[in-house]
Amino acid sequence: MITLKELAKRCGVSTATVSNAINGKSNISEATKVRIMQMIKETGYKPNFMARNLRINSKRTIGLIIEELTAFSSAPLIEGIMSFLEEQKYETILYNMRVYSNPNWVSDESFVQYCVSNAASELIAKQVSGIIHVAEHSRKIKCYNKKLIVPVVICYAYPDERKMPHVSIDDETSTSKMAEYILSKGHTKIAMICGSKDNLHAQKRYKSFKRVLSEHNVEFDEEFCVFTNWSKEDGKIAAAKILKKNVTAVFCHNDFLAGGVYDYLYENNIQPGKDLLVTGFDNHLISSYLHPGITTMKLPLLEIGQKSAELMIEMLKSDSQCSCNGVEFPCELIIR
Amino acid sequence: MITLKELAKRCGVSTATVSNAINGKSNISEATKVRIMQMIKETGYKPNFMARNLRINSKRTIGLIIEELTAFSSAPLIEGIMSFLEEQKYETILYNMRVYSNPNWVSDESFVQYCVSNAASELIAKQVSGIIHVAEHSRKIKCYNKKLIVPVVICYAYPDERKMPHVSIDDETSTSKMAEYILSKGHTKIAMICGSKDNLHAQKRYKSFKRVLSEHNVEFDEEFCVFTNWSKEDGKIAAAKILKKNVTAVFCHNDFLAGGVYDYLYENNIQPGKDLLVTGFDNHLISSYLHPGITTMKLPLLEIGQKSAELMIEMLKSDSQCSCNGVEFPCELIIR
DNA sequence: CTGAAAGCGCTTACAG
DNA sequence: CTGAAAGCGCTTACAG
């Protein structure tokens, strides 16, 4: 690759002049400008981005720490972040932690700490002026306790201390909507298949659901409720446990669990939707392939990503001050 | 952020000495080394990656042009590429084209050309030593006709001219496997719902399927076959058209189409799997939520990504020479 | 074992 | 309108 210096030599001018021409500075004669542009075309010269950034001390790059790129939520979140940042003329650098390739990353908090700190170091070495941490699933992120020299926004999860900007979903409002929907269909014996007990979403959804039921004077039997994990298989096993009692509806904490319930129902010749109302959460693509259609909550992933980027820019413009500590978006009820 | 120079001053040594200490050069007294490391910890100094790369003229960065990050194939492909490159101590820069946000990008070939050329320019300005183009769906990529100054590998698609390294799937072998499977179940009236007519996969699958049938002396009636598009809705419409004729099996060119067929069957009280064998392609997650289970072909996306990265490294090591022009991986039959 | 000096590819006052 | 010179934050022969 040809350099500015070489280009200048070929044009018979100084590097300063070439630089001015390229950057559209005003005081340049048309003739030399044309000559330079001509030569750029001929040689295919491209300014060295690194050198330029080094010189002008650019502050227009944001680092993204992605816990797991292949998580279904990651791509839309990143899409939201990048589209917003692109509009604001910011660059983006991705750091892929790939936590799934370490089997026990969930349990090993110190391992996660280590990875995050590595990731942050590398991004800071690359001169990012801020970091957005894109979580694989919602939980408290404890890795940013020691102050970094750049602002951090947590996307799709919660911080350890309350003072950190983060963007996530509003489980309370969303769960309420879902509960109201189920009640509106006249159900009074309602089961719930919850995510894992240590998960924040699961906890909030559990609480909110119970609250709404009691507000409507509908009894909630703890025997109709089970905490499990998030997979289809978990849903099926849970269904076998719970659905023996004569419930008429079941609220699953995500669509995979609901898919497992469908499995169980099919095997036992119970018709979902008719004999038992099943609802899910996430509006994952798989939910639109279940028969019969399942009602679920749509995660506003794109919006969460965009908002995270927005908070980041806000902090950058105001010396790491953020107007809010956290934003939570309600989900949209998708009735099927 | 503190600089090397400032760090040196605080330690009372020259920048050269600090640099040597950081980079583990041998000829340094233990005492000064310790003092420097101590100071690095205290100040939280991080070497400026850009400056370092500029100085040593690093060649260890690969650029990824992603047509559409939210395409279901993209994340696993990227995962495969990045994990391989990471092992080889290469950095990765992502350029997200986000083609879905331009509604008519498919039809507008010149627009795609423009975007790709922009993307490549930007990556080259960032000093990548090679570019891997991650396609959103398989087709001939015509954007790399004019020689770039870095080698290019096309991932999950085909080049315009035969001379470009690319990695994709082996539609012929895969389709043959599927056809053999369907025939082994004793079917002789077999329908096929194909992807869009201008798509390479659709064309190859169509041809291969017909060939295998004729090799087994099973008649293939063109009336049982339709080219459509790739969505669930398309599958449902196609099913309505084709399945009036008394076929006993249908091969769909992807799982979404198969999902559409299921829709049609349910609505018409025909039992998939029992009254009609439906098979898909892709092993998309949605396929494992269809009832009853559907047989499909698993795309080796991770492997495709890894192989793309491998070819890239090979080219880099041998002055853009590649041992092969193209690699095609067979898919795995998933029987359900 | 340590430091002065040059240079990676750029930009930017400043002088002419 | 143009160019010489300094400098962004590093590394690397080379001299001592």
Side-chain angles (χ1 to χ4, degrees):
Chain A
M1 172 69 100
I2 192 184
T3 70
L4 214 195
K5 203 169 153 190
E6 171 66 19
L7 185 67
K9 201 203 284 181
R10 294 204 197 179
C11 292
V13 294
S14 73
T15 59
T17 302
V18 174
S19 175
N20 286 332
I22 288 172
N23 294 301
K25 294 288 157 63
S26 55
N27 43 2
I28 275 225
S29 79
E30 198 53 35
T32 52
K33 199 177 201 165
V34 167
R35 198 163 77 245
I36 290 169
M37 290 311 170
Q38 180 64 34
M39 191 58 83
I40 288 178
K41 228 178 208 165
E42 264 179 45
T43 57
Y45 167 76
K46 301 254 161 57
N48 182 324
F49 180 85
M50 310 287 187
R52 177 162 203 280
N53 266 9
L54 176 61
R55 183 53 236 257
I56 67 177
N57 195 11
S58 163
K59 294 249 156 293
R60 303 196 77 81
T61 303
I62 304 294
L64 264 47
I65 296 181
I66 315 294
E67 290 189 355
E68 178 55 51
L69 187 63
T70 61
F72 83 93
S73 47
S74 292
L77 290 171
I78 297 171
E79 174 70 19
I81 294 171
M82 285 186 124
S83 63
F84 189 91
L85 291 180
E86 200 174 286
E87 269 172 29
Q88 306 282 321
K89 306 285 175 217
Y90 272 78
E91 300 270 333
T92 285
I93 301 182
L94 232 98
Y95 185 100
N96 189 1
M97 274 178 60
R98 306 201 279 109
V99 294
Y100 284 179
S101 43
N102 184 290
N104 50 338
W105 76 276
V106 185
S107 48
D108 192 349
E109 184 69 33
S110 70
F111 173 74
V112 177
Q113 288 243 17
Y114 169 77
C115 291
V116 170
S117 135
N118 259 5
S121 265
E122 202 168 295
L123 289 173
I124 288 171
K126 287 181 179 167
Q127 309 305 108
V128 300
S129 38
I131 290 177
I132 301 178
H133 183 110
V134 180
E136 175 264 335
H137 77 268
S138 280
R139 57 182 204 289
K140 287 191 182 166
I141 309 266
K142 301 174 187 170
C143 320
Y144 295 101
N145 29 20
K146 32 185 176 171
K147 266 266 171 281
L148 288 180
I149 61 163
V150 297
V152 175
V153 170
I154 293 188
C155 173
Y156 202 46
Y158 304 91
D160 195 15
E161 329 150 26
R162 283 262 66 91
K163 292 307 266 177
M164 237 170 140
H166 61 278
V167 186
S168 189
I169 60 169
D170 182 344
D171 278 300
E172 276 199 37
T173 310
S174 309
T175 304
S176 297
K177 270 192 240 173
M178 181 57 86
E180 306 271 6
Y181 171 78
I182 296 173
L183 289 170
S184 78
K185 294 289 176 188
H187 296 276
T188 53
K189 299 276 185 194
I190 308 171
M192 173 159 53
I193 299 180
C194 308
S196 53
K197 198 148 201 167
D198 59 355
N199 182 280
L200 287 179
H201 289 314
Q203 290 163 13
K204 290 186 183 181
R205 289 173 200 173
Y206 169 78
K207 266 194 183 164
S208 305
F209 198 73
K210 266 181 75 169
R211 183 179 47 68
V212 175
L213 259 53
S214 90
E215 281 168 12
H216 284 74
N217 298 315
V218 171
E219 190 196 7
F220 180 75
D221 191 335
E222 290 292 345
E223 283 196 35
F224 295 173
C225 174
V226 63
F227 281 87
T228 171
N229 219 308
W230 299 100
S231 78
K232 187 167 97 157
E233 288 66 34
D234 297 321
K236 189 173 174 185
I237 295 168
K241 246 190 246 172
I242 283 185
L243 298 181
K244 284 171 184 159
K245 350 247 165 176
N246 60 337
V247 300
T248 62
V250 56
F251 166 45
C252 303
H253 278 194
N254 78 358
D255 293 332
F256 297 157
L257 290 169
V261 173
Y262 268 54
D263 274 352
Y264 171 81
L265 297 182
Y266 278 114
E267 280 185 18
N268 291 274
N269 277 315
I270 307 172
Q271 283 200 29
K274 195 166 159 245
D275 302 334
L276 181 82
L277 174 67
V278 184
T279 69
F281 211 107
D282 286 354
N283 192 35
H284 190 289
L285 189 58
I286 64 112
S287 74
S288 61
Y289 283 82
L290 290 174
H291 280 281
I294 190 171
T295 293
T296 186
M297 301 295 306
K298 183 181 174 189
L299 300 177
L301 295 171
L302 220 60
E303 289 83 353
I304 291 176
Q306 285 176 325
K307 191 68 185 178
S308 304
E310 198 184 324
L311 291 188
M312 184 78 256
I313 301 296
E314 190 186 328
M315 291 177 84
L316 255 25
K317 284 190 179 155
S318 57
D319 197 29
S320 292
Q321 297 305 311
C322 194
S323 59
C324 57
N325 288 323
V327 181
E328 303 198 335
F329 284 100
C331 302
E332 181 194 348
L333 184 68
I334 305 287
I335 297 177
R336 288 204 190 96
Chain B
M1 172 70 98
I2 191 183
T3 70
L4 214 195
K5 202 168 155 191
E6 171 66 17
L7 185 68
K9 202 203 282 179
R10 294 204 198 180
C11 292
V13 294
S14 74
T15 59
T17 302
V18 175
S19 176
N20 285 332
I22 288 172
N23 294 302
K25 294 286 156 65
S26 55
N27 42 2
I28 273 222
S29 79
E30 197 55 35
T32 51
K33 200 177 201 166
V34 167
R35 197 163 77 244
I36 289 169
M37 289 311 169
Q38 180 64 34
M39 190 58 81
I40 287 178
K41 229 178 208 165
E42 265 179 44
T43 56
Y45 167 76
K46 303 255 160 58
N48 183 323
F49 180 85
M50 310 286 188
R52 177 163 203 280
N53 266 9
L54 175 61
R55 184 51 235 257
I56 67 177
N57 195 12
S58 164
K59 294 251 156 292
R60 301 196 79 80
T61 302
I62 304 294
L64 265 49
I65 296 181
I66 315 296
E67 289 189 357
E68 178 56 53
L69 187 62
T70 61
F72 84 93
S73 47
S74 292
L77 290 171
I78 297 171
E79 174 69 20
I81 294 172
M82 284 186 126
S83 62
F84 189 92
L85 291 181
E86 201 174 283
E87 268 173 30
Q88 306 281 320
K89 307 288 175 215
Y90 273 78
E91 300 270 334
T92 285
I93 302 181
L94 231 99
Y95 185 101
N96 188 1
M97 273 178 61
R98 308 202 278 106
V99 293
Y100 285 180
S101 42
N102 184 289
N104 50 338
W105 76 276
V106 184
S107 49
D108 192 348
E109 183 70 32
S110 70
F111 173 74
V112 176
Q113 288 245 16
Y114 169 77
C115 291
V116 169
S117 135
N118 259 4
S121 265
E122 202 168 294
L123 289 173
I124 288 171
K126 286 180 178 165
Q127 310 305 111
V128 300
S129 39
I131 290 177
I132 302 178
H133 183 110
V134 180
E136 174 265 334
H137 78 266
S138 279
R139 59 182 203 291
K140 287 194 182 166
I141 309 267
K142 302 174 186 170
C143 322
Y144 295 101
N145 30 18
K146 32 184 174 172
K147 266 266 173 275
L148 287 180
I149 60 163
V150 297
V152 175
V153 171
I154 292 187
C155 174
Y156 201 46
Y158 304 90
D160 194 16
E161 329 151 26
R162 283 262 65 91
K163 293 306 265 174
M164 238 171 138
H166 62 279
V167 186
S168 190
I169 60 170
D170 182 344
D171 279 299
E172 275 199 37
T173 310
S174 309
T175 304
S176 298
K177 271 193 241 174
M178 182 57 86
E180 307 272 5
Y181 171 77
I182 295 173
L183 289 171
S184 78
K185 294 289 176 188
H187 296 276
T188 53
K189 299 276 184 193
I190 308 170
M192 174 158 53
I193 299 180
C194 309
S196 52
K197 199 147 200 167
D198 58 355
N199 182 281
L200 286 179
H201 289 314
Q203 289 162 11
K204 289 185 183 180
R205 289 174 199 172
Y206 168 78
K207 264 194 185 164
S208 305
F209 198 73
K210 265 181 76 170
R211 183 179 46 69
V212 175
L213 259 53
S214 90
E215 279 168 14
H216 284 74
N217 298 315
V218 170
E219 191 198 7
F220 180 76
D221 190 337
E222 290 292 346
E223 282 196 34
F224 295 174
C225 173
V226 63
F227 281 87
T228 170
N229 218 309
W230 298 99
S231 79
K232 187 167 96 157
E233 288 66 34
D234 297 322
K236 190 172 173 186
I237 295 168
K241 246 189 246 173
I242 284 183
L243 299 181
K244 284 171 186 158
K245 351 246 163 173
N246 61 336
V247 301
T248 63
V250 56
F251 166 45
C252 303
H253 278 195
N254 78 356
D255 293 333
F256 296 156
L257 290 170
V261 173
Y262 269 53
D263 273 352
Y264 171 82
L265 297 182
Y266 278 115
E267 279 186 17
N268 291 274
N269 278 315
I270 307 172
Q271 282 200 30
K274 197 170 158 241
D275 302 335
L276 181 83
L277 173 67
V278 184
T279 70
F281 210 106
D282 286 354
N283 193 35
H284 190 289
L285 189 56
I286 65 112
S287 74
S288 61
Y289 283 82
L290 290 174
H291 279 283
I294 189 172
T295 292
T296 186
M297 301 296 305
K298 183 181 174 191
L299 300 177
L301 295 171
L302 220 59
E303 290 82 354
I304 290 176
Q306 284 176 325
K307 192 65 184 181
S308 304
E310 199 184 324
L311 291 188
M312 183 80 258
I313 301 297
E314 190 186 330
M315 291 177 84
L316 254 26
K317 285 189 177 154
S318 57
D319 196 30
S320 293
Q321 296 306 310
C322 195
S323 59
C324 57
N325 287 324
V327 181
E328 303 199 335
F329 284 100
C331 303
E332 182 193 347
L333 184 69
I334 305 286
I335 298 178
R336 289 206 188 92

